[in-house]
Amino acid sequence: MGELPHFVELNDLASERVGGKILFATDDWFAVAENLLKPENPVWKEEDFTEFGKWMDGWETRRKRIPGHDWCIIKLGIPGLVYGFDVNTAFFTGNYAPRVSIQAACLENDDGFPERTSEMGSAASEEQFEAMKKLNTEAWDEILPMREMGSGNPATCNNILEIPLRKRWTHIRLNMFPDGGIARLRVYGVASPDWANIPSNQLLDLVAMENGGVCVGYSNVHYGHARNLLTKPRSKVMKDGWETARRLDRPAILTADENCVLQVDGSEWCVFRLGHHGTIKEVEIDTNHFKGNFPDSCTVEGAMVVAPKNKRKVSVARMGPIQQGFTGLNWRIILPQTKLSAHKQHFFKGAEVQDIGAISHVRLTMRPDGGVSRMRLWGYKQGTPSIPEEKSKAPKASIPEERSKEKAETQAEP
């Protein structure tokens, strides 16, 4: 596979990790549609069979012997602007879906969808089909016309599909023609909150995925992608975070200063665009699950990037290590170099966080390398959203019901 398009670096809006949900599927005979939304990559179990056939890590329908084709409805966990898809057929080599198309809608709610039972060896009932007819999902906007799929072999399983029209969607209809198997569906995009209804004095996590934050560059994502830092729930496992390879230029013998901060030249970085321009007042750096591989220290910087008026359409900066840390921007320190600990939430506020005014981008730098599970940047919106607002109604920016006001008192390891 050649160079991947930039949109695959964006957030997966359909992942079950962020609330993605299957509302309906025509058939779940060999494997249920919910597998499409797993955040983990699909796996192969050579000897595993069920009473319905070969165990498969994906959605697989029976060989159709009646008119029609199979399809399912997915409610996005985070509504937003969709850039493209990865229809992954991994391990479905002689049984993959030969063709797919995708439709989409922007719905206020899920009223009218029949109750779903996710169960292998089952299919939608006549009553469920009748309920779906009333919703007329076959008339939803076709955002991806019918495309041929590659088989589940490693060289052809990732079917990367970009769409030209970027609008805000809440629901997806995935059509497979006529039947078969798909391992995963990634819906890459950016959340689109209704910023007009968010008061300027409301404290928000301005870099959160659900508030439109997005990764636009990084130095190294060997073990875990930097975009994981923006996910809403706290990480449950180590791989659900940003983790780099060990730097080969680290000193043979390490030394530290009077504050126990290691003296190293090397570092790793990642850059994010905030969902809305704003001022940062509080910072959280969480090293949850990183016990023997947490960074020694970190720094958070901010910069303001204003797009030209003639380029206000939605765009994403070219991503990846070629950006060299976005050195051309006027970076200013928000959180000075700070010592970190293993497997712990670190909270910084007040005098620990420098007020540098409104910013649009942030850069997190870790020294020398290691892993961070989450980053939260609490502040107030100011100026304009980083992405033009859609005319369709959007959800309010996300604010957790409970948020710690003090530094975490517990940690699994010192």
Side-chain angles (χ1 to χ4, degrees):
M1 182 180 295
E3 183 179 0
L4 294 175
H6 70 271
F7 70 80
V8 300
E9 305 274 3
L10 298 176
N11 303 318
D12 180 4
L13 303 179
S15 171
E16 68 175 15
R17 184 173 61 178
V18 298
K21 184 179 181 182
I22 301 293
L23 297 182
F24 174 83
T26 56
D27 190 280
D28 294 281
W29 183 267
F30 291 106
V32 298
E34 277 72 12
N35 292 331
L36 290 170
L37 311 184
K38 289 180 179 179
E40 303 85 7
N41 290 329
V43 298
W44 172 255
K45 297 182 180 180
E46 179 68 29
E47 302 299 329
D48 281 20
F49 284 79
T50 74
E51 61 180 301
F52 306 106
K54 179 70 182 76
W55 182 93
M56 296 297 292
D57 189 9
W59 176 39
E60 186 181 4
T61 68
R62 72 192 79 194
R63 302 190 188 208
K64 190 165 286 295
R65 300 294 185 255
I66 58 175
H69 66 90
D70 287 313
W71 50 279
C72 70
I73 302 294
I74 300 166
K75 179 180 181 181
L76 299 182
I78 298 178
L81 308 176
V82 176
Y83 282 66
F85 306 92
D86 179 6
V87 185
N88 188 335
T89 59
F91 305 114
F92 289 94
T93 54
N95 52 348
Y96 65 97
R99 293 166 294 272
V100 305
S101 75
I102 296 178
Q103 297 167 267
C106 193
L107 307 180
E108 293 286 339
N109 51 56
D110 298 331
D111 291 350
F113 284 94
E115 183 177 353
R116 170 166 169 77
T117 300
S118 176
E119 185 178 354
M120 293 173 60
S122 68
S125 66
E126 292 185 9
E127 292 77 10
Q128 288 173 321
F129 273 113
E130 287 300 317
M132 292 305 299
K133 283 183 180 179
K134 296 177 182 178
L135 296 175
N136 198 29
T137 61
E138 66 272 13
W140 286 3
D141 291 351
E142 185 179 66
I143 60 176
L144 184 77
M146 188 185 297
R147 299 285 183 86
E148 292 189 3
M149 295 291 100
S151 76
N153 294 305
T156 57
C157 67
N158 291 100
N159 298 275
I160 308 297
L161 307 167
E162 186 170 9
I163 59 176
L165 180 62
R166 278 116 191 207
K167 293 178 61 178
R168 181 181 178 275
W169 306 109
T170 62
H171 293 68
I172 296 292
R173 172 171 161 147
L174 172 63
N175 302 297
M176 64 164 70
F177 300 101
D179 54 39
I182 300 171
R184 298 287 188 271
L185 176 69
R186 307 298 189 203
V187 181
Y188 293 113
V190 182
S192 179
D194 184 7
W195 288 107
N197 290 326
I198 307 300
S200 297
N201 62 351
Q202 196 159 294
L203 196 64
L204 300 166
D205 180 2
L206 293 172
V207 78
M209 173 183 172
E210 62 270 21
N211 290 339
V214 62
C215 178
V216 297
Y218 51 81
S219 60
N220 187 289
V221 290
H222 189 85
Y223 292 111
H225 202 287
R227 65 177 168 230
N228 293 335
L229 294 175
L230 311 186
T231 307
K232 185 175 182 179
R234 198 178 183 206
S235 63
K236 295 182 179 180
V237 292
M238 189 173 68
K239 67 179 178 180
D240 181 21
W242 172 41
E243 185 181 0
T244 73
R246 300 192 192 206
R247 291 189 63 89
L248 299 180
D249 62 355
R250 61 194 187 279
I253 299 176
L254 300 175
T255 60
D257 64 12
E258 64 277 6
N259 296 316
C260 298
V261 175
L262 292 182
Q263 300 300 287
V264 293
D265 293 328
S267 64
E268 304 291 357
W269 56 267
C270 52
V271 173
F272 302 91
R273 185 183 64 200
L274 304 182
H276 197 292
H277 297 175
T279 56
I280 305 302
K281 299 299 182 183
E282 301 180 20
V283 175
E284 175 189 340
I285 303 295
D286 191 357
T287 58
N288 195 30
H289 302 296
F290 291 102
K291 302 174 182 179
N293 51 352
F294 63 97
D296 177 70
S297 64
C298 76
T299 303
V300 177
E301 301 163 283
M304 174 60 79
V305 180
V306 180
K309 291 183 179 180
N310 62 344
K311 293 186 178 181
R312 289 299 296 160
K313 61 190 296 185
V314 176
S315 64
V316 177
R318 187 65 185 168
M319 304 178 188
I322 60 173
Q323 292 290 346
Q324 298 299 317
F326 293 73
T327 53
L329 301 183
N330 181 26
W331 294 109
R332 292 172 291 163
I333 293 177
I334 297 173
L335 180 70
Q337 185 174 5
T338 301
K339 184 78 173 178
L340 296 178
S341 300
H343 193 45
K344 176 184 178 181
Q345 284 176 291
H346 304 77
F347 294 94
F348 308 98
K349 62 180 182 178
E352 298 173 299
V353 177
Q354 298 184 17
D355 186 353
I356 63 172
I359 60 171
S360 62
H361 289 66
V362 293
R363 178 170 64 182
L364 171 63
T365 302
M366 65 164 74
R367 293 180 176 85
D369 50 40
V372 177
S373 61
R374 296 290 185 268
M375 177 177 68
R376 315 292 189 199
L377 299 176
W378 300 92
Y380 301 101
K381 73 170 190 174
Q382 188 171 329
T384 60
S386 297
I387 297 178
E389 297 179 23
E390 291 290 305
K391 292 183 180 180
S392 56
K393 186 176 180 181
K396 289 186 177 182
S398 174
I399 308 171
E401 294 181 1
E402 296 183 2
R403 185 174 64 84
S404 174
K405 295 293 185 180
E406 303 296 334
K407 293 184 178 180
E409 296 179 351
T410 61
Q411 65 182 73
E413 291 187 354

